[in-house]
Amino acid sequence: MVTEPEIRSPEEARDFLNKVRAIAQALGVSDANPEEGKLRADVNVSVREPGAPFGTKVEIKNLNSFKAVQHALEFEIKRQSRLLEDGGKVRQETRGWDDGGQKTYLMRIKEGEADYRYMPDPDLPPMRIDENWLMRVRLSYPELPDAKFERYAKRFKGMMPTSPLITALSQFFDAALASYQGKAQNLANWLNSDVVGLLNQQNLAFKTLALRPEDLIALKHGR
């Protein structure tokens, strides 16, 4: 996937990738877990004065976590800004990310499109997709994360935020509601605060907790 140059902050880039992951999980095409090598990101960064044309693009390759994406962008924005403030120029180049040192490093210099060695692939013919086919595909979708969030927002006050865990949590939540005997809002609050907080703190995936909907009888009794 390639976006237009319309992402304006490291936080927005991380939110975008979280949404991509949530959609992939909802469609069942991938766990999209970057730490397991199932999702990678290359990011392009340029800075400019307000109202000026786009600056020189620098690419950061093969980032393997959303946290790394945000930190690499933050560092590179500062690096390029300092260069320009000191009267220097930003070179078009490819850089890597040193997670231990929290900084980017030079991999190679790019002068133009020829250096990227773009070429057409003769084994990939054009695909022409008609509207009827698109409609059939859309009708076959499962419920996507944004639709889940809207459904929960209407039913529960303070339900799950638009987080990267919303797909896994909502599947569990829907199953748990069928057997849980307490207030649905208590279950929603528990998932949204305690469970999400634990997963974020320990950088875990929801499936690693091995929770089952039938285990929630303990929550009803305050255990």
Side-chain angles (χ1 to χ4, degrees):
M1 297 176 60
V2 180
T3 72
E4 295 290 340
E6 55 192 12
I7 295 176
R8 295 288 182 255
S9 71
E11 294 79 14
E12 188 178 356
R14 188 172 182 175
D15 289 345
F16 169 78
L17 290 170
N18 280 328
K19 180 164 285 192
V20 169
R21 177 170 61 180
I23 292 172
Q25 290 172 344
L27 294 174
V29 297
S30 173
D31 291 342
N33 188 342
E35 286 78 9
E36 296 176 358
K38 298 176 181 178
L39 186 64
R40 288 288 189 269
D42 299 338
V43 297
N44 293 305
V45 190
S46 67
V47 298
R48 58 175 173 170
E49 295 288 343
F54 284 126
T56 301
K57 177 183 66 177
V58 171
E59 183 178 22
I60 309 172
K61 295 290 289 185
N62 203 29
L63 296 163
N64 63 0
S65 75
F66 297 164
K67 184 183 295 185
V69 167
Q70 181 171 344
H71 291 173
L73 289 171
E74 290 169 347
F75 175 88
E76 189 60 22
I77 289 170
K78 291 178 181 177
R79 186 189 74 84
Q80 294 185 29
S81 297
R82 285 196 299 267
L83 268 176
L84 297 176
E85 289 167 358
D86 292 340
K89 291 185 178 181
V90 176
R91 296 185 302 184
Q92 184 172 328
E93 56 191 26
T94 299
R95 301 180 72 86
W97 173 243
D98 176 3
D99 200 53
Q102 291 290 292
K103 61 183 180 180
T104 64
Y105 59 89
L106 177 65
M107 295 175 67
R108 55 188 176 271
I109 297 172
K110 300 281 191 174
E111 297 294 342
E113 287 190 5
D115 294 304
Y116 288 87
R117 293 178 171 82
Y118 291 138
M119 62 184 69
D121 189 328
D123 296 325
L124 295 176
M127 290 186 63
R128 293 176 174 82
I129 300 173
D130 61 49
E131 284 297 324
N132 289 333
W133 185 88
L134 285 173
M135 183 60 68
R136 291 196 300 272
V137 171
R138 292 188 182 110
L139 291 175
S140 71
Y141 283 173
E143 187 180 31
L144 295 180
D146 284 351
K148 289 179 185 291
F149 176 72
E150 291 178 7
R151 174 162 62 88
Y152 289 138
K154 290 178 181 178
R155 183 173 179 184
F156 305 104
K157 180 180 179 182
M159 185 47 198
M160 302 176 197
T162 50
S163 91
L165 300 166
I166 189 171
T167 302
L169 289 176
S170 63
Q171 292 169 351
F172 178 89
F173 182 75
D174 287 340
L177 276 179
S179 57
Y180 179 60
Q181 302 298 312
K183 291 183 179 180
Q185 185 64 57
N186 291 344
L187 173 59
N189 292 341
W190 175 68
L191 284 172
N192 194 35
S193 56
D194 296 346
V195 174
V196 171
L198 174 66
L199 295 176
N200 286 336
Q201 183 181 31
Q202 300 190 18
N203 197 26
L204 297 172
F206 180 72
K207 62 184 179 182
T208 63
L209 296 183
L211 282 172
R212 300 174 301 170
E214 55 267 31
D215 293 335
L216 291 177
I217 189 67
L219 179 64
K220 177 185 175 184
H221 296 293
R223 299 197 298 271

